[in-house]
Structures are given as structure tokens and as C-alpha cells.
Amino acid sequence: MIIRPPSRSPWLLLFTLKGSIVSVIWKRVVAMMLLAAAVVLAEHRLPLSGVGLGAVPLTLVGLTLAIFLGFRNSVAYERWWEARKLWGELLIVIRNLTRQTLSFPDDLPATRQRELAHGLVAYAHALRHMLRLSDPREDLERWLPADSAARLMRAANPPTVLLRDLSLAYARLRREGKLDSILLADIDGQITRLSYIGGGCERIRGTPIPFAYILLLHRTVYAYCFLLPFCLVGSIGWVTPFMVGVLSYTFFGLDALGEQIEEPFDRLPNNLPLDALCRGIEINVGELLGDTDLPPPLAPEDGVLL
């Protein structure tokens, strides 16, 4: 996730490259500007009757493109925001479960309290790695016993297996007489919420925006930007390359931005900072456990928080 600078002067907002989409689309914009320059030269130097198409094609295609981009970006942002709400709820549920683990069971040794709380932290890391298709071994071995981490590494869905282990651990406390059945039911409800959160994230990850729609949108954006110089050269002449650059930056930028946020769990600059969210969960659980050597919050790297 891009971290906005504290200073938002007009100079910074207009000319900063850090955190912008320019690094992704600049080659496409430059290509369109070079095409526009070639069209202007052809209009003024070659013995042609005129290459300008007029404003009608620009208006018709632009109207269709505006509808496509508006709908696509709304859907992409809705996916991004739903994913952020799920991870916000994940933090709340883990806090609640840690608090209940430390408060409700009778005479529960500190080592078992810590083991259960660390299992909750491990769930957040396991979910993050599953969504990003990365290797969870290091984090699982850091927060779980060696045998549990090895077993989860062989699982197809480590977060679900870990929730089962947590449920069995709390049920064992009930059988040992350390946890009341009413309190166990409340704790099980919190674990069920973790399962819903994981399932919601899997749904977002496994259900992309239909490819046929994305393909149509990409083709329309390129067709519109390709037509720009032919439609503008007759009315604005030598200013055409500049206007083509501004318009193509807008449309290519909106297209690229929607492409990034439609998959909120990746590691692109505009995706969710899952690493930082997991570090926040580690800090919160550590504070509840009374730890003093807490890790610092993750800092942005070059303006991007992962």
C-alpha cells in the first residue's frame, strides 16, 4: 500500500513519481505521444488531404470507455475494500480470542496460554502466505511447535487445519475442567469468525473479474488512445502530442490502477499491506501476553508498505 507523504503541496502532487502509476504506464504513454507526433508531421508535411477524423469517433468511443472504466474500477475497489474489512475483523477477533484465553480458563499455565495465543498469530501468517502463494515455513516455525509447523506444511489449506487444532485445544480445556461450556461456546464463535474471514479472503482471491470483460476493456483503452491523435490533429495541430499524453496517461493509469487493486492480496504497490497487518497482530498479541521485547511496526520502503 502506498503511504501518502505528510506534505501535500501542489508541487509534490503534480510532479512526484514515488507512489504514482507512472512507472507502470510511461512506456505506453510515450508510445502514444510518438504516434501523435508522427500524425502531426504527416498532416503538415506530406501531400495528404488530411488525416484528421474529427471529434465524433472520439466522443463515441470515449463515452463507452468511461462507462467501462467507471464500472471496472468500482468493482475493483469494492474487492479491495472488502478484503481490508476482512483483515480488520481478523485483528479484532484475534485480540478477543487472546484476551479470552488469558482471562477465562482456570489455572491455565502461562506456557499453554502463550501456545494458544501464538497459534492465533500463526493463523494470520498462514492466511497471508496462502493468499500470496508464498512459503509459510519460516513464520510457522517461529510461532508453532516444530511438529505442528511440519504438519501444516504438508496441508493443502494450512489456515483451516490450524483452526481445527485451536478448536481441539480449547475443547481439551473444557474436558479438563478449566473452561466453562458457555465460555467455550463463545470462544468457538470467535474461531468460527476466523473461518468466515479466511473463506471470504479465499473467495476474493479465487474469483477474479471475468477475463472477457478485462480483455474488452484493455482493447477499448488502446483503441481510444490510438485514435486520439487522428481525432485531435485537425483542431489543435502541434499541441496534439501533449494532449494525447495527458489523456492517455489518464486512461492507461485508470486501467493499470484497477488491474492492481482488483487482486488486493498481491505485493504490488497498491495492494493491501498484509506484512504490516500481521506485524500489527504480533504486537497486539505480545502486549496482551505482557511481552516487553515487541517488534517495531513495519516501516514503508520507498513509500510502499507491504
Side-chain angles (χ1 to χ4, degrees), residues 210-230:
F211 178 71
Y213 181 84
I214 300 301
L215 190 62
L216 177 61
L217 178 60
H218 282 318
R219 289 174 175 174
T220 306
V221 169
Y222 275 94
Y224 181 81
C225 292
F226 181 83
L227 288 174
L228 277 174
F230 298 99

Side-chain angles (χ1 to χ4, degrees), residues 23-214:
S23 61
V24 179
I25 65 170
W26 71 269
K27 292 181 180 179
R28 284 172 273 179
V29 174
V30 170
M32 292 299 107
M33 294 181 70
L34 292 176
L35 173 64
V39 171
V40 172
L41 289 175
E43 174 74 10
H44 285 81
R45 295 190 177 183
L46 297 180
L48 301 174
S49 59
V51 295
L53 297 177
V56 174
L58 197 66
T59 303
L60 295 177
V61 179
L63 178 61
T64 304
L65 184 57
I67 296 173
F68 278 175
L69 280 174
F71 177 74
R72 184 272 182 90
N73 282 21
S74 296
V75 172
Y77 182 77
E78 183 179 354
R79 289 164 57 87
W80 186 93
W81 183 239
E82 183 182 0
R84 181 61 186 90
K85 289 192 295 184
L86 288 171
W87 272 80
E89 186 177 0
L90 177 68
L91 172 61
I92 295 171
V93 173
I94 289 179
R95 283 174 179 168
N96 289 338
L97 277 171
T98 303
R99 174 181 51 80
Q100 291 171 329
T101 301
L102 298 176
S103 303
F104 294 156
D106 297 326
D107 301 323
L108 185 64
T111 54
R112 293 186 67 180
Q113 290 179 343
R114 185 171 294 273
E115 182 178 342
L116 289 170
H118 285 185
L120 296 171
V121 177
Y123 175 80
H125 284 292
L127 182 60
R128 169 173 64 91
H129 285 291
M130 188 183 69
L131 295 173
R132 287 182 167 176
L133 304 179
S134 54
D135 186 4
R137 181 180 301 276
E138 181 179 352
D139 287 309
L140 293 182
E141 292 178 347
R142 184 159 57 100
W143 292 101
L144 295 173
D147 57 338
S148 297
R151 181 163 42 82
L152 287 177
M153 287 299 301
R154 298 190 297 269
N157 192 322
T160 299
V161 177
L162 186 51
L163 286 185
R164 181 203 62 188
D165 293 346
L166 288 170
S167 295
L168 292 175
Y170 285 108
R172 191 180 309 117
L173 294 180
R174 172 70 187 94
R175 290 193 297 270
E176 294 172 356
K178 298 181 181 297
L179 191 63
D180 182 81
S181 58
I182 297 177
L183 297 176
L184 176 62
D186 186 63
I187 289 175
D188 184 67
Q190 296 291 329
I191 293 177
T192 301
R193 284 308 309 162
L194 290 180
S195 180
Y196 275 110
I197 291 168
C201 292
E202 290 180 70
R203 170 173 47 81
I204 295 173
R205 179 71 181 182
T207 312
I209 297 177
F211 178 71
Y213 181 84
I214 300 301

